[in-house]
Amino acid sequence: MPCSLSQALLGVLIRRNFIIVLMSVEIMLNAANINLVAFSYYLESMAGQLVALFIIAIAAGEAAIGLAIIIVVFRGKISTNVDEMNLLKW
């Protein structure tokens, strides 16, 4: 479990492709969900599972908005490099 979380963190920090960064964020959220559900089962509480459901909803919204931003940026320029995207700056 910590291995996937650390690999996802490195993917966010090191990679420059926007799609890979989004996938790394999704992996981090899924790793947190697995931890929440496991501790919820261990502690015999439903709170962790409820929080995991909220995280799944947030991850779905993040994926939809992130992919929409990628499509808009990719139509404007032919680059998905995070360093080259200054479209949202003023």
Side-chain angles (χ1 to χ4, degrees):
M1 187 94 57
C3 184
S4 65
L5 186 61
S6 63
Q7 289 174 351
L9 182 64
L10 285 175
V12 169
L13 295 176
I14 294 175
R15 299 291 183 160
R16 297 294 175 222
N17 190 347
F18 195 64
I19 296 172
I20 294 177
V21 170
L22 278 178
M23 286 178 20
S24 297
V25 170
E26 291 290 330
I27 290 172
M28 281 193 284
L29 290 173
N30 286 332
N33 281 339
I34 291 172
N35 283 326
L36 284 170
V37 170
F39 282 118
S40 175
Y41 177 76
Y42 179 72
L43 297 174
E44 297 177 357
S45 172
M46 292 296 291
Q49 294 179 11
L50 290 175
V51 173
L53 284 174
F54 285 120
I55 291 175
I56 289 171
I58 290 170
E62 178 260 336
I65 291 172
L67 289 175
I69 290 172
I70 289 173
I71 290 171
V72 167
V73 168
F74 192 70
R75 284 185 183 174
K77 320 184 209 182
I78 309 298
S79 175
T80 58
N81 193 348
V82 176
D83 293 335
E84 294 176 4
M85 287 196 312
N86 58 2
L87 181 66
L88 297 178
K89 291 182 184 178
W90 284 92

